[in-house]
Every structure is written in structure tokens, then in C-alpha cells.
Amino acid sequence: MSDLLERLRGRGWRMTAQRRVVAEVLDGEHVHLTADEVHARAVDKLPEISRATVYNTLGELVSLGEVLEVSTDRRAKRYDPNAHRPHQHLVCARCGAIRDVHPTGNPLSALPDSERFGFTISDVEVTYRGVCPNCAAA
Amino acid sequence: MSDLLERLRGRGWRMTAQRRVVAEVLDGEHVHLTADEVHARAVDKLPEISRATVYNTLGELVSLGEVLEVSTDRRAKRYDPNAHRPHQHLVCARCGAIRDVHPTGNPLSALPDSERFGFTISDVEVTYRGVCPNCAAA
DNA sequence: TCCTACGATAGACAATGTCTAAGTCAAGTA
DNA sequence: TACTTGACTTAGACATTGTCTATCGTAGGA
């Protein structure tokens, strides 16, 4: 995670204990926490951190392109630190588990010009839904 | 829209003024209203209809498979009456306009077995994002 | 026409996210 | 090191979206 902290510092980010803690919480593969979960884990490390700061910091990380927002369910947004490798999500419809996946081909090419209605398309968001092995076994 | 009302009546749906109004509001192509927008339009036709009834009725229509829930932004869910033809969505990142689109090929096939982590996948949700012609011109 | 179970209602409540005003502090400067 | 300043943090009010409950009303069958 010092990678991320270094990058942020290099971009002129003012380093505070709160920001460091939020960045540390968002470390790892297949991490997809809600803002509230991030807050809860941040509080473990820094009890006086406020909800507003977590929201602010997450918003800044998203603006900087260091973290992605994903909405796999209709409840809270989730934050995905795996922003530097394009990927999609695979969600278990029962337990809500989320995995990052990497499809073949460019998903943008699936949409023919005749279906683009003159839009300039820049991005696709793809979420696969199914049942994970654990839930299938249960 | 009498089609929808007929189908619903055929399924034993008890017909009330409120339900009829909600079904009428959800008529047409490229209709993607939030629950609140549905409520506002329903109130125009039937001033005493309550918010809870709109939510209940939308939920029932979704359960019956007559209407789809889509979440193209992170704000409110939107309701799409075009439930009988599989389609995806194209969203303008500036004004939020939404169009239904129909891509070529089966999006499920883009995910190789090696990336399925043992999940049994049943569904894919695809949202294209870009800028619509109106916003591009402005 | 009358009954009754299902539907509708108002409004409280819950979850998530945003905003504000005031206090605090990181980092540059001398 | 001490000073300064504007960016950062805070608590809590507020906003939005959605859900639940207790009560009232009514569609449709007898």
C-alpha cells in the first residue's frame, strides 16, 4: 500500500492520518467495501475519524483514478482499489460475494454503430450475476 | 397499455385505480422513470395516490416480470417497462438520457470458464456510457 | 347489497449520502 | 524551531430514496 501512498504524495496530496488509514483499508485484491465498511475499519485504526472524512477521501481517491466506484447491488456504492487494470465484476446473487474477472475481447465492440444513436461511447460497465460455489453447495 | 392491463388481470391482479394509473405511466419505448417520477406522474392523474402504493405496485410489477429494475446511476432505481425483449442500456454521462440498445452476440460468452471461479452464471448486466448527440453539440 | 380479504394510505422509520460552520494541523517559509 | 495559511477534519443537521406499520377503504364474489 505504500505504493498508493507514494503516488498520492507525488500528486501533491496532503498526507494526514485519516487519509493514510483510508488508503490502508483499501488494500488488496477483490476488495469491494462500502463506504460504511471502510469507515468501520478505519475507526478500528483511528477511532476519532468521522464519516464525512471517509466519504470525502473516497470521493477524492475516485477523482484521482486510484479507486473505482462499483454498484453491484442497489444498496451502497462499493469501492474497488483495483483501478489500474480494467476488469468486470462477478456477483453471487445469494451471498453478495464479488470477484474481479477479466473477459476476452473488447466489450465495447459488441455494440454495433446502428445501436449507438449518435452517442460517443467511452465506457462499458459489465456485471455478471450467478451463484458462487459456496452457496451452490449449501 | 391495455395489453399490460389485460395481462395483469389475467394473472388475477386485483384491478384498482392506483394500479391502473401506475401501469399507464409506465407505457412506451425508452421509458426509464424513477419511483419518484412515476409517483409524480401518477399524482397528476390521481392526486391522492400515495408514495407507498407506488413503491408497492412497482415492486409487484417487477416480481411479475412485467417491468425491469435498472440502476444506471447511483441515485434511484429506474423502472423499464420493456421487459419482454432482452436489452442493455446506453447512458449519457452528462444529461443522464437512457436508450435501450440491442448488442450482437451473447454477452455471457465473453467470460471464459477460467474466469468464472466456479460460479453458475445466469445473467449479465451491461451499461454503456458516453455522451449523447445533444450534449456533444452543446 | 353485503362481506371480506386484499389493497391503499399517512407517516414514522431506516439506510445512505451530502453539506456546513467551526476547529485543527501539514507543510512551506524564515 | 516557530509561524502562517489554507487545506483537512469534525459533529451533526439535512436530503434522498426506500421500507414498514397500523388503519381505513374497496373490488369483486356470494
Side-chain angles (χ1 to χ4, degrees), chain B residues 95-113:
Chain B
C95 69
I98 303 173
R99 308 287 313 219
D100 292 350
V101 297
H102 306 85
T104 55
N106 179 1
L108 270 176
S109 63
L111 191 65
D113 279 348

Side-chain angles (χ1 to χ4, degrees), chain A residues 12-30:
Chain A
W13 226 42
R14 186 162 145 185
M15 193 49 54
T16 66
Q18 292 83 352
R19 288 176 166 187
R20 189 172 36 70
V21 164
V22 169
E24 281 170 6
V25 166
L26 285 173
D27 187 20
E29 283 286 311
H30 301 292

Side-chain angles (χ1 to χ4, degrees), chain B residues 51-100:
Chain B
R51 229 159 50 91
T53 297
V54 170
Y55 276 99
N56 288 342
T57 304
L58 289 172
E60 286 159 18
L61 288 169
V62 170
S63 299
L64 292 171
E66 294 290 348
V67 164
L68 293 178
E69 259 181 25
V70 298
S71 16
T72 53
D73 58 22
R74 282 78 188 178
R75 311 273 299 177
K77 294 180 218 172
R78 292 177 176 275
Y79 294 88
D80 183 344
N82 187 8
H84 294 295
R85 184 179 176 198
H87 63 279
Q88 305 175 346
H89 293 105
L90 172 52
V91 180
C92 176
R94 297 209 191 139
C95 69
I98 303 173
R99 308 287 313 219
D100 292 350

